[in-house]
Amino acid sequence: MSLTVYNYLTRQKEPFEPLEPGRVYMYVCGPTVYDHAHIGHAKLYVAMDVVVRYLRFLGYKVRYVQNITDVGHLLDTGEDRIVKGARRERVEPMELVEIYTRSYFEDMDALGVVRPNISPRASCHIPEQIEMIKTLLEKGYAYEVDGNVYFSVEKFPEYGKLSGRKVEELEPGARVAVREEKRHPADFALWKKAEPEHILRWPSPWGWGYPGWHIECSAMATKYLGETFDIHGGGLENIFPHNECEIAQSEAATGKPFARYWILVGSLTVDGVKMSKSLGNVIRIKDALKRNRPEAIRTLILSAHYRGPMDYTEKAMQAAERGVERLHNTVRAVRLRLRDASPEGEPEPDVAEVLDAHRRAFTEAMDDDFNTPRALAALYELAREVNKWLDGGRDLTPASLAAIDTTFRELGGQVLGIIPDKLAPTGVEEETLAGLVEIILAIREEYRKAKDWARSDELRDRLAELGIVVEDRPEGPTWRLER
RNA sequence: GGCGACGUAGCCAAGGGGUAAGGCAGGGGUCUGCAAAACCCUUAUUCGCCGGUUCGAGUCCGGCCGUCGCCUCCA
């Protein structure tokens, strides 16, 4: 069985074969950094994160590029989002960009999203963008009007091949007034003239201005991944016009195919409707993380297929929280038994067999267009098998326990990112906490030996009030923090 | 209006011609000093609706209904 991916370009599942054996070159449209990231970003970037993690798990060397958009995205008013945000917060545009770039990485780190190999900023690649625009002008795919440069969609017959739109069907100027100077309503800006009061602007062959909204991705993807590369990822809502324009610009400029596989992620709604500031239902990642552990947020996202839509509800979030907790409980119990053992030799045959079967189910699911819900199911089923051994009083050998732990570590940890390497609390403060809890539990054990249930229960209850859940297992008491 | 996605149990969600994965919640048990955790059993004669193809259809075809998204900055 080998990896199959759904390619939006062909609208079908295809065997995945990178251009260069063993290497994958991948680009994903990154955020515009003018505000804190929300759970919609989380869905997209966690989904892409798992794609990258799985490719690496399969042994590919992946170069993952994800841009930071810090210029060029315009509001309806024609105003740059960054410029507007800067005015709102009374900071320099680049200061605003810095604030929210840091915030973005902070959130992604917290969610366990592995960092891209390169996070290029649009504002740092103005020369590359200008070069590409020059090429497009030279080749006759673009035209200049009074300091503005537009891409001529009629010159590129394949325009629409990704999104399935046809130029003729595009309704001209639904809300934004059609600019007189454009030859065709669907033509889009490559470079826009900036008035002197516009803060974000650069010199160009066409005078002072700033790049249009799609050109950065074309220029940076080409620069770091080559003219043709393997995977382009992004949110489905950006398929048109953004992704479509990227293809047009890039292929017109280079004369070569742009991305070979398009992997697009379905959108997220909250309680059935799209998040928007006007509705006031935007859930920031930072707020979600206050209520739910990162593994639970990832589990919720991965419990549905990446291509489909997802509706975020508190109920679904809770279900994910409880589900991932069960997985954690199993792994914690395995590690507890393994604590003082030296795992040498081979796992017991029947254990190895069960592990192999579930590993196979997991990889088969992932090979089928990253079917994380099915992969997750394999993990849950494995957890049940392991729990049966654990609670059935079976004396698993250290080698078996280690093999179980490794399986969860690799599939649940390395690939899905929902099982941390350390489930016991870590860090200086938490080490102190851990020490204190151990002391209290030792005292409680004294009470329990003396069958002083009243005192024993009181300790457990009071710990529970602090969110510390005590469990009396055959191998001794354990505890965990519950939110 | 055009384009697209989706509609499977109380909730989330796989499955895409061969007789409904998994998770959460609920019910009943086992274990426990009591719990918790865990395990076992249980919860869709049925997959939005109506037709059609087929020996056989959540699964394919046609129509209808509904939800959401995009077409305009958005991940």
Side-chain angles (χ1 to χ4, degrees):
Chain A
M1 187 70 184
S2 56
L3 181 61
T4 303
V5 303
Y6 183 88
N7 187 355
Y8 248 92
L9 206 51
T10 56
R11 306 268 165 156
Q12 61 186 19
K13 282 187 192 172
E14 297 175 357
F16 179 71
E17 284 162 18
L19 216 47
E20 203 180 305
R23 283 184 180 265
V24 176
Y25 294 89
M26 173 166 167
Y27 187 90
V28 171
C29 293
T32 302
V33 282
Y34 67 102
D35 204 345
H36 293 291
H38 55 244
I39 51 175
H41 295 101
K43 180 179 192 291
L44 172 61
Y45 297 118
V46 166
M48 297 318 301
D49 179 53
V50 170
V51 168
V52 172
R53 283 164 173 260
Y54 190 61
L55 288 169
R56 289 186 176 140
F57 175 79
L58 291 178
Y60 290 110
K61 191 161 169 53
V62 181
R63 179 184 289 169
Y64 179 23
V65 177
Q66 186 192 107
N67 64 298
I68 295 288
T69 297
D70 56 0
V71 64
H73 268 187
L74 303 185
L75 294 162
D76 288 352
T77 54
E79 194 175 19
D80 189 305
R81 309 180 84 84
I82 305 289
V83 172
K84 191 186 177 188
R87 189 175 312 135
R88 178 189 69 214
E89 302 192 13
R90 296 191 174 191
V91 293
E92 281 290 314
M94 283 300 116
E95 198 175 353
L96 183 93
V97 162
E98 206 57 47
I99 290 167
Y100 290 113
T101 301
R102 288 179 197 182
S103 167
Y104 173 69
F105 282 122
E106 196 177 286
D107 293 346
M108 290 299 133
D109 288 349
L111 285 173
V113 171
V114 295
R115 292 223 183 178
N117 297 288
I118 307 176
S119 301
R121 281 197 190 180
S123 66
C124 298
H125 296 75
I126 302 296
E128 287 85 348
Q129 296 179 65
I130 290 175
E131 277 310 305
M132 188 172 262
I133 296 168
K134 275 162 75 178
T135 304
L136 289 169
L137 279 166
E138 282 161 18
K139 291 192 171 184
Y141 286 106
Y143 54 92
E144 187 209 338
V145 184
D146 184 31
N148 295 301
V149 183
Y150 295 100
F151 185 92
S152 176
V153 294
E154 287 164 310
K155 293 275 169 58
F156 190 78
E158 289 186 298
Y159 188 78
K161 69 177 175 181
L162 179 69
S163 60
R165 316 250 167 148
K166 295 188 178 73
V167 170
E168 315 85 67
E169 288 171 357
L170 294 173
E171 199 177 321
R175 218 196 283 178
V176 171
V178 178
R179 298 187 72 123
E180 296 283 317
E181 60 211 37
K182 283 207 265 185
R183 290 181 191 167
H184 186 282
D187 287 354
F188 55 91
L190 297 169
W191 187 264
K192 303 200 93 171
K193 180 166 128 181
E195 302 304 326
E197 61 271 20
H198 197 98
I199 312 171
L200 286 177
R201 60 194 198 119
W202 290 265
S204 80
W206 318 286
W208 285 85
Y210 54 96
W213 30 295
H214 315 299
I215 195 75
E216 59 167 291
C217 286
S218 291
M220 297 190 288
T222 304
K223 171 164 182 168
Y224 296 111
L225 299 170
E227 294 179 333
T228 301
F229 57 95
D230 298 301
I231 297 174
H232 190 125
L236 193 50
E237 73 289 332
N238 265 340
I239 190 169
F240 188 89
H242 182 64
N243 297 150
E244 198 66 62
C245 294
E246 276 184 78
I247 293 177
Q249 295 164 341
S250 307
E251 300 195 345
T254 66
K256 292 175 186 156
F258 188 48
R260 302 171 59 236
Y261 298 89
W262 282 81
I263 297 180
L264 301 177
V265 179
S267 309
L268 181 138
T269 51
V270 171
D271 294 324
V273 292
K274 183 180 165 171
M275 276 186 286
S276 75
K277 284 189 178 169
S278 51
L279 281 173
N281 62 346
V282 176
I283 300 178
R284 288 177 177 173
I285 293 172
K286 289 188 202 313
D287 292 328
L289 282 167
K290 282 178 196 158
R291 309 191 50 173
N292 300 102
R293 64 189 106 188
E295 298 84 19
I297 296 173
R298 289 182 72 101
T299 300
L300 174 66
I301 291 165
L302 300 177
S303 69
H305 189 86
Y306 77 86
R307 262 191 287 125
M310 161 165 282
D311 188 37
Y312 179 97
T313 61
E314 204 43 55
K315 210 170 175 179
M317 186 67 248
Q318 277 313 311
E321 184 80 55
R322 298 279 298 124
V324 79
E325 189 181 321
R326 214 184 101 211
L327 251 24
H328 286 4
N329 284 340
T330 302
V331 176
R332 188 183 289 111
V334 169
R335 290 181 188 170
L336 186 71
R337 284 204 189 185
L338 199 50
R339 196 165 47 182
D340 303 316
S342 50
E344 283 161 12
E346 298 295 310
E348 295 147 278
D350 65 318
V351 172
E353 198 177 309
V354 168
L355 291 177
D356 281 350
H358 288 85
R359 182 178 283 266
R360 222 165 22 243
F362 182 96
T363 53
E364 269 174 26
M366 291 300 287
D367 278 342
D368 184 12
D369 193 32
F370 311 100
N371 195 321
T372 52
R374 245 164 66 204
L376 224 35
L379 247 33
Y380 281 119
E381 279 167 3
L382 177 60
R384 178 168 27 246
E385 295 303 318
V386 172
N387 283 331
K388 271 191 233 179
W389 290 328
L390 252 32
D391 273 23
R394 174 165 171 175
D395 197 18
L396 290 160
T397 64
S400 290
L401 290 166
I404 294 166
D405 186 34
T406 300
T407 304
F408 278 115
R409 239 176 242 279
E410 290 183 0
L411 307 183
Q414 202 180 312
V415 177
L416 298 185
I418 58 170
I419 296 176
D421 280 343
K422 286 196 171 183
L423 279 168
T426 54
V428 177
E429 272 188 357
E430 285 169 336
E431 263 173 35
T432 311
L433 171 70
L436 284 171
V437 175
E438 294 298 332
I439 292 167
I440 295 164
L441 289 184
I443 295 167
R444 181 165 169 274
E445 281 310 288
E446 292 297 318
Y447 289 144
R448 292 185 72 218
K449 271 183 202 152
K451 296 194 188 296
D452 188 346
W453 309 123
R455 284 208 171 95
S456 149
D457 285 354
E458 193 197 339
L459 283 180
R460 186 175 57 193
D461 290 346
R462 292 185 63 183
L463 286 169
E465 281 169 25
L466 297 171
I468 297 165
V469 179
V470 176
E471 293 175 13
D472 297 319
R473 296 182 147 272
E475 58 269 27
T478 74
W479 65 279
R480 64 194 151 83
L481 273 178
E482 194 171 68
R483 297 194 194 197

